[in-house]
Amino acid sequence: MAPDMGMADRTVKTETVRGVVYGPSGKRLDVHRPAGATGASGATPTVLLWHGIGPDERDVLEPLARTTAALGVLVLVPDWRSDAADGGRAHLLESLAFVRKEAGGLGGDGESFVLAGWSAGAGAALGVALRPESVEGWRPRAVVGVAGRYDLPARTTGTAPLDDLAAGRDPGLPVHLVHGSRDAVVDAHRSRDLAEALRAADRPVTLQEPETDHAGVIMTAYDRAADRCVPTTAEHAVRTGRTMAGVLAEAAGGEGPA
């Protein structure tokens, strides 16, 4: 997939390491990073990116992760299972603990990184910021929520982010939201509601609503026969994916697209 002219002078070659075991559960993650980014080369801006409710679907996020890595960002995408007895909480928090401990050896930043998620992963990411006690008081550099719902209990904390905000909890960091205006799975008003709640609390938030759907916002299309999202070259998805990659890169402290 060739970059557009706005990104051409920013993109770099990337490499992918697949199937890294990240915790006691034996679950695996993929590492997408700029070519040559290693522990000896300094801390590359880093993103931990969680997929949605489909179990073990780290591959679904590969198009977005690779596009983001081409902007000079280390992106780690773990599997997790929403159908686990705890709703996936242990898997999600294991992956977070792994990144905090091991990202440095992979060329990234294990303390100041972006926590991002798509669909159910979005609420899970924001939940951590609102309840840092769930991860020993740690907070990410920023949260990026993609096509999420925030009125449902977060998979990481068991409480709804909107309820936590209403109770006076503070995410304590910038929140960036992206939601397709044509999303028929999770309506864009879910992100608008969160943005309004954050603004009402005088908290930093951005919201973009590109013209795409629930799958297109992560550079994919839903394949009904396979019952999963697959890569697509549809113009709306490619365009939105580049926007998403820029949001993730800039939130992580990289330069983002030109």
Side-chain angles (χ1 to χ4, degrees), residues 20-29 90-91 93-95 97-98 102:
V20 177
V21 175
Y22 67 72
S25 65
K27 288 293 172 189
R28 297 178 181 271
L29 58 75
H91 298 154
L93 296 185
E94 280 179 22
S95 71
F98 175 88
E102 304 294 345

Side-chain angles (χ1 to χ4, degrees), residues 115 122-132 134 143 150 154 156-157 159-161 164:
L115 190 53
L126 184 56
V128 170
L130 288 164
R131 290 184 172 267
S134 64
V143 166
Y150 307 96
T156 44
T157 63
T159 60
D164 281 343

Side-chain angles (χ1 to χ4, degrees), residues 9-227:
D9 63 350
R10 297 290 193 196
T11 55
V12 298
K13 291 182 179 180
T14 66
E15 60 188 20
T16 297
V17 180
R18 294 185 174 86
V20 177
V21 175
Y22 67 72
S25 65
K27 288 293 172 189
R28 297 178 181 271
L29 58 75
D30 293 341
V31 180
H32 306 273
R33 62 189 178 189
T38 65
S41 62
T44 301
T46 302
V47 173
L48 173 59
L49 179 58
W50 286 333
H51 65 70
I53 202 168
D56 293 343
E57 287 191 342
R58 71 182 192 270
D59 59 302
V60 167
L61 290 172
E62 181 161 334
L64 175 58
R66 289 174 63 86
T67 302
T68 306
L71 295 178
V73 180
L74 175 74
V75 186
L76 301 103
V77 186
D79 276 339
W80 65 280
R81 295 193 68 93
S82 62
D83 58 356
D86 64 355
R89 182 177 186 272
H91 298 154
L92 292 163
L93 296 185
E94 280 179 22
S95 71
L96 178 56
F98 175 88
V99 175
R100 291 184 65 193
K101 182 179 179 182
E102 304 294 345
L106 297 168
D109 187 335
E111 275 306 308
S112 182
F113 58 88
V114 169
L115 190 53
W118 169 63
S119 198
L126 184 56
V128 170
L130 288 164
R131 290 184 172 267
E133 66 272 18
S134 64
V135 286
E136 303 172 333
W138 177 87
R139 275 191 169 110
R141 177 188 181 97
V143 166
V144 177
V146 187
R149 282 189 67 167
Y150 307 96
D151 60 327
L152 299 176
R155 299 280 172 157
T156 44
T157 63
T159 60
L162 280 170
D163 290 345
D164 281 343
L165 281 168
R169 284 187 171 262
D170 180 1
L173 46 80
V175 176
H176 304 285
L177 305 173
V178 182
H179 207 127
S181 63
R182 296 192 278 111
D183 194 329
V185 177
V186 179
D187 191 276
H189 85 265
R190 302 295 183 179
S191 288
R192 292 182 207 129
D193 290 348
L194 176 62
E196 289 174 8
L198 287 165
R199 289 177 187 132
D202 199 26
R203 302 306 177 206
V205 59
T206 65
L207 171 61
Q208 297 188 51
E209 295 185 43
E211 190 177 347
T212 191
D213 57 17
H214 196 67
V217 77
I218 57 164
M219 305 184 79
T220 66
Y222 177 65
D223 184 324
R224 193 172 299 276
D227 191 27

